[in-house]
Amino acid sequence: MSRERMLREMGLAPLWKLRAASAVSSLAAPTAVAPAAAERNAAIAAMDWEQLRQSVSGCSACGLCQARKQAVFGVGDEKPGWLFVGEGPGAEEDERGEPFVGQAGRLLDAMLAAIGLQRGEKVYIANAVKCRPPDNRTPEPSETAACRPYLERQIELLKPKLIVALGRPAAQTLLAREVKIADVRGKLFDHRGTPLIVTYHPAYLLRNLTEKAKSWEDLCFARRTMSEKVD
Ligand code: URA
Ligand code: SF4
């Protein structure tokens, strides 16, 4: 299939108006985990789905709990094959309690469709932070760090065959270091035994055709990886 046709199929031809791409943030230097945090991490690491859901919905481990309407846990096939990890809920997600249901979500659906995937079928969608950052700002490293045990537990319970990190906060959370997308896209990483591929966040794809094309390459790479290495 030609690149142009693929971009059309990804629904990326028209210019969508989305929130501005997130400002650059840096990851805090690794610090020793305080005893209380270690205890919380251990508790989360032992939770089943129901406990995890309840813990997230009542969580106040970071400041993002203050302005949220509700925490957005994640959604999809619980034996997924594919796990896509975004940044954090936006206004519509905060309202509806489901990830990627706003404009960025329509783009994500188009990206999924372009590689023959559909929301909910062999696909799980989650975010680096479960609560909406005010004014859709980029989550702070301290916030992604506070939320990370939930994502890690989701990954352990889901046992995906491949993880796709969408954008910088997701990539930094999963790789546990500061990265530039341009440096880490198109490569295969290992997340505790699970293949991990990084690409641009769908909201970022509106910028220009070059990035859309790169994101298409990344998705092809992910699809190839899934069929060659995993199936
Ligand atoms: N952007 C994200 O990263 N996640 C969502 O759930 C919605 C928009
Ligand atoms: Fe808790 Fe995560 Fe929400 Fe912060 S973003 S309050 S860590 S669920």
Side-chain angles (χ1 to χ4, degrees), residues 18-190:
L18 284 181
R19 70 193 196 204
S22 353
V24 170
S25 67
S26 60
L27 276 186
T31 46
V33 179
E39 214 169 279
R40 173 175 173 262
N41 291 357
I44 292 172
M47 287 178 183
D48 64 20
W49 276 119
E50 208 31 59
Q51 293 165 330
L52 198 59
R53 253 176 237 288
Q54 280 188 16
S55 179
V56 166
S57 75
C59 180
S60 55
C62 84
L64 295 183
C65 67
Q66 284 161 23
R68 73 175 177 222
K69 286 192 176 145
Q70 58 187 317
V72 178
F73 183 74
V75 73
D77 194 333
E78 288 180 5
K79 298 217 177 351
W82 298 79
L83 169 63
F84 289 81
V85 180
E87 179 173 326
E92 278 189 70
E93 290 77 20
D94 181 59
E95 195 71 51
R96 291 173 50 186
E98 201 178 314
F100 283 103
V101 289
Q103 281 178 305
R106 284 193 281 283
L107 273 166
L108 177 61
D109 286 339
M111 290 167 72
L112 294 178
I115 51 169
L117 298 175
Q118 208 178 320
R119 183 183 286 256
E121 284 180 27
K122 302 215 182 308
V123 174
Y124 195 92
I125 304 171
N127 280 309
V129 291
K130 312 306 189 201
C131 305
R132 182 195 182 198
D135 304 318
N136 297 336
R137 67 164 169 75
T138 304
E140 300 288 342
S142 63
E143 294 158 350
T144 52
C147 215
R148 184 173 157 184
Y150 291 129
L151 180 63
E152 296 294 354
R153 185 59 184 156
Q154 285 176 310
I155 294 171
E156 272 173 28
L157 290 169
L158 291 166
K159 299 188 178 28
K161 293 180 181 158
L162 178 69
I163 304 171
V164 180
L166 301 166
R168 197 163 180 237
Q172 296 189 146
T173 300
L174 290 166
L175 291 169
R177 64 185 166 95
E178 203 171 340
V179 299
K180 288 188 183 127
I181 296 292
D183 295 340
V184 290
R185 57 162 291 273
K187 294 178 183 156
L188 189 59
F189 294 93
D190 175 272

